[in-house]
Amino acid sequence: MATAASTRSETRALDAWVALLRAHSVSTGMLSAELLAEHGLTINDYEALLHLSRAAEGKLRRVDLAGRLLLTASGITRLLDGLEAAGLVGKESCVSDRRVTYAVLTSAGRKRLAKASRSHIASVRALFEERFTNDEVAQLAELLSLLPGVGDADGEACKPS
Amino acid sequence: MATAASTRSETRALDAWVALLRAHSVSTGMLSAELLAEHGLTINDYEALLHLSRAAEGKLRRVDLAGRLLLTASGITRLLDGLEAAGLVGKESCVSDRRVTYAVLTSAGRKRLAKASRSHIASVRALFEERFTNDEVAQLAELLSLLPGVGDADGEACKPS
DNA sequence: TAAGATTGAGATTTCAATCTTT
DNA sequence: AAAGATTGAAATCTCAATCTTA
């Protein structure tokens, strides 16, 4: 039979795991419902626009965007299909390597992101600040970031012709 | 313009949110790939079997199981369809209220859960214990549990005829 | 009317296969 | 070969509609 100590430490890890699953499910449920109802964007739509808006010239290689959103190559194609159809993102090809395609934020995309950000950022802050002190939020972020993340190694930028 | 203080506290909440999204995505990716490859179960399959195994007589009303797994009524129907086809779960109806159906763990289901648990629990522990001290795991679990959870109010048990 | 369960249709995402370019 | 991008097929889940029972 397991000792009391090993049983306790086993349940601790399991408790953390279950808490992570539940917290993610309920939080994304709330935030994505709002984002979708008020701005017609999924969380991944929003995150894609956000990453593009922070990149130089508002553009990113599709494969690098996939890495940042934790999507596969085909996942990013399908996500961008929707954003392109909505006129929020455009396509651009690379002269120095014709395999790569860029996703480029359009001005409509930048406007939509700005508008959605006002309410979305407020909701994220509310979600955390209603329940945690500033120190606790920082602590939670730091602990979570120790879990397996993903390296953000972007490929080389496209050389001008 | 925002003050430095409000900007800092804004990014803290956002950092925590992004860390939660990434940690969940990568952790579930790893653990579900293993569970699926070695035991043919998704995370929700596993959690369903686990909840049933802990319930009295190994059975639970379908609607209560849905609540625990954070699935909709139709989601639980589809999940159980698969587990029933695999012979891991059976159906049982309630004599005192013929609207309700129970999901019942079969002995094959109990065996499969036991087998999967050996490696799955070890993986969950490894995931957390390789990166955190015992205190940190406990702290993470406690912080996460402050985020919006969900009440576990099960309905009444079925009266015998 | 409302609760529990199911079904059809649609959204999002992955995997495997394929095409082009390096 | 290997990398980037796309497509067809399949898995998982939600919403809206429906059926039965309370």
Side-chain angles (χ1 to χ4, degrees), chain A residues 49-86:
Chain A
L49 297 179
L50 184 59
H51 278 288
L52 290 175
S53 78
R54 288 175 172 167
E57 303 174 68
K59 69 185 188 183
L60 236 27
R61 305 193 321 159
R62 294 167 95 82
V63 66
D64 292 332
L65 191 53
R68 297 191 185 196
L69 296 190
L70 268 12
L71 287 179
T72 61
S74 81
I76 205 65
T77 292
R78 260 111 190 189
L79 180 72
L80 290 175
D81 279 350
L83 294 174
E84 285 159 12

Side-chain angles (χ1 to χ4, degrees), chain B residues 42-155:
Chain B
T42 65
I43 288 185
N44 272 347
D45 287 339
Y46 180 86
E47 297 282 332
L49 297 179
L50 185 59
H51 278 288
L52 290 176
S53 78
R54 288 176 173 165
E57 302 174 69
K59 69 184 186 183
L60 235 28
R61 305 193 320 157
R62 294 165 95 86
V63 67
D64 292 332
L65 191 53
R68 298 190 183 196
L69 297 190
L70 267 12
L71 287 178
T72 61
S74 80
I76 205 66
T77 293
R78 260 113 190 186
L79 180 72
L80 290 175
D81 278 350
L83 294 173
E84 284 159 13
L88 306 179
V89 167
K91 258 176 163 170
E92 204 171 281
S93 42
C94 174
V95 190
S96 59
D97 184 341
R98 283 187 306 197
R99 288 173 305 180
V100 344
T101 313
Y102 281 86
V104 197
L105 195 58
T106 64
S107 69
R110 208 177 281 278
K111 277 177 201 150
R112 181 80 81 85
L113 174 65
K115 205 169 156 217
S117 289
R118 281 192 276 277
S119 61
H120 183 60
I121 293 178
S123 299
V124 172
R125 292 191 60 176
L127 179 69
F128 286 92
E129 293 174 4
E130 278 169 10
R131 294 159 231 267
F132 298 116
T133 65
N134 274 1
D135 281 352
E136 286 172 332
V137 174
Q139 206 160 45
L140 177 61
E142 193 174 323
L143 288 172
L144 284 172
S145 68
L146 293 179
L147 250 8
V150 164
D152 261 357
D154 281 1

Side-chain angles (χ1 to χ4, degrees), chain A residues 11-118:
Chain A
T11 40
R12 263 194 219 111
L14 255 8
D15 286 348
W17 172 236
V18 171
L20 176 63
L21 290 178
R22 296 182 74 84
H24 174 268
S25 178
V26 178
S27 302
T28 56
M30 292 171 48
L31 291 174
S32 85
E34 183 188 283
L35 211 40
L36 203 56
E38 295 181 13
H39 303 284
L41 298 173
T42 65
I43 288 184
N44 272 347
D45 287 339
Y46 180 86
E47 297 282 331
L49 297 179
L50 184 59
H51 278 288
L52 290 175
S53 78
R54 288 175 172 167
E57 303 174 68
K59 69 185 188 183
L60 236 27
R61 305 193 321 159
R62 294 167 95 82
V63 66
D64 292 332
L65 191 53
R68 297 191 185 196
L69 296 190
L70 268 12
L71 287 179
T72 61
S74 81
I76 205 65
T77 292
R78 260 111 190 189
L79 180 72
L80 290 175
D81 279 350
L83 294 174
E84 285 159 12
L88 306 178
V89 167
K91 256 176 164 171
E92 203 170 281
S93 41
C94 173
V95 190
S96 59
D97 185 341
R98 283 187 306 197
R99 289 173 305 182
V100 345
T101 313
Y102 280 86
V104 198
L105 196 57
T106 64
S107 70
R110 207 177 282 278
K111 276 176 202 150
R112 180 80 80 87
L113 174 65
K115 203 171 157 216
S117 288
R118 284 192 275 277

